[in-house]
Amino acid sequence: MTNKTTISAQKKFVQDNQILSFVRFVCFGNFTLQALYDLSEGFQRRQLILQAKPKDPERVDDPFIDREILENEAEGVMMWLLEGLNALIQNNWQITVSERTKEKSDSFKRENDSVLLFLTECRGICIEEGERAHSRMLFTAYERFCDENALTALREQSFLNALRTKGRQFQIHRLDNPFTLRKPGGSSVLARGFEGIGIRESYIYVSRCGMP
């Protein structure tokens, strides 16, 4: 989104309006954003998950509460805004994030990243120096992991792109040249794949790792 992009802004119970954004960030509430194609960490890093207090069952919603606040507390609201602006300027325009918000955001990031969960939780793979695995078999293992854990799997090419990006922190690298691996039956397969990760033989494919 750029400053030249027209967006639709809607207030509750009021007709929406088409506006031009003149701020560097836009906030949306009550749901988390899902990336359509962006698999980088930057997309998740730009989101902050805020947990609201449970609604009091005896509370009656007031659709005109904003008007009441402006009529009765306009001066206090303005002071609150100015204090927040001054704090933002003093913090070099960086939003202060509480530990609770960091924990919620990190937890959301993990639970909504099937590739990262695959790398950190799947017992069918072995992440070690010198291990190798073909791309197709890694995707097969990933699909099985997602199926076992009721996760929505990415498409094959999206998974491989994400593995190239997220695998760096685990010292997993994409190999440009094909290499040969032997199947359990004795036949060999020449294909492209990754180094630094292997698949346990009893899980789906050949690897030097043994099951724990």
Side-chain angles (χ1 to χ4, degrees), residues 10-23:
Q10 183 178 16
K11 185 178 178 181
K12 286 186 176 181
F13 313 111
V14 179
Q15 179 67 32
D16 62 326
N17 296 298
Q18 300 298 315
I19 64 173
L20 289 175
S21 172
F22 291 95
V23 295

Side-chain angles (χ1 to χ4, degrees), residues 111-167:
E111 294 302 317
N112 287 271
D113 191 335
S114 59
V115 177
L116 187 60
L117 289 175
F118 171 69
L119 293 174
T120 56
E121 297 183 5
C122 181
R123 299 183 65 191
I125 62 174
C126 177
I127 299 178
E128 289 183 5
E129 183 180 358
E131 284 292 326
R132 290 184 175 186
H134 289 148
S135 299
R136 173 55 58 85
M137 302 315 297
L138 281 170
F139 179 67
T140 302
Y142 163 74
E143 281 192 312
R144 174 177 172 178
F145 172 79
C146 289
D147 181 65
E148 291 173 346
N149 291 275
L151 299 172
T152 301
L154 300 174
R155 293 186 177 181
E156 186 170 8
Q157 192 57 52
S158 297
F159 163 73
L160 296 176
N161 291 337
L163 184 59
R164 293 181 66 175
T165 301
K166 303 177 189 299

Side-chain angles (χ1 to χ4, degrees), residues 6-158:
T6 301
I7 62 174
S8 177
Q10 183 178 16
K11 185 178 178 181
K12 286 186 176 181
F13 313 111
V14 179
Q15 179 67 32
D16 62 326
N17 296 298
Q18 300 298 315
I19 64 173
L20 289 175
S21 172
F22 291 95
V23 295
R24 297 182 62 185
F25 56 88
V26 180
C27 300
F28 300 87
N30 298 331
F31 62 91
T32 54
L33 301 178
Q34 301 292 328
L36 185 59
Y37 300 110
D38 189 352
L39 300 176
S40 67
E41 293 187 6
F43 178 83
Q44 300 290 354
R45 190 173 62 247
R46 292 180 176 90
Q47 294 192 68
L48 294 178
I49 310 300
L50 304 178
Q51 183 177 14
K53 295 180 179 180
K55 179 180 177 180
D56 188 337
E58 298 182 358
R59 190 187 77 186
V60 178
D61 293 335
D62 183 358
F64 306 107
I65 190 172
D66 56 337
R67 301 179 186 178
E68 296 178 7
I69 291 176
L70 290 177
E71 290 175 359
N72 302 320
E73 305 177 34
E75 183 178 349
V77 171
M78 180 58 66
M79 291 299 298
W80 175 70
L81 291 173
L82 292 175
E83 290 175 1
L85 177 60
N86 288 330
L88 191 61
I89 294 174
Q90 293 175 6
N91 199 32
N92 196 27
W93 298 98
Q94 299 295 316
I95 297 177
T96 302
V97 181
S98 67
E99 289 299 322
R100 179 182 179 183
T101 298
K102 288 181 181 179
E103 292 176 1
K104 291 293 181 183
S105 299
D106 291 342
S107 176
F108 170 80
K109 176 182 175 181
R110 288 193 302 270
E111 294 302 317
N112 287 271
D113 191 335
S114 59
V115 177
L116 187 60
L117 289 175
F118 171 69
L119 293 174
T120 56
E121 297 183 5
C122 181
R123 299 183 65 191
I125 62 174
C126 177
I127 299 178
E128 289 183 5
E129 183 180 358
E131 284 292 326
R132 290 184 175 186
H134 289 148
S135 299
R136 173 55 58 85
M137 302 315 297
L138 281 170
F139 179 67
T140 302
Y142 163 74
E143 281 192 312
R144 174 177 172 178
F145 172 79
C146 289
D147 181 65
E148 291 173 346
N149 291 275
L151 299 172
T152 301
L154 300 174
R155 293 186 177 181
E156 186 170 8
Q157 192 57 52
S158 297

Side-chain angles (χ1 to χ4, degrees), residues 121-126 199-203 208-212:
E121 297 183 5
C122 181
R123 299 183 65 191
I125 62 174
C126 177
I199 305 175
R200 301 186 188 277
E201 184 173 346
S202 59
Y203 191 73
R208 294 195 303 272
C209 300
M211 288 297 290

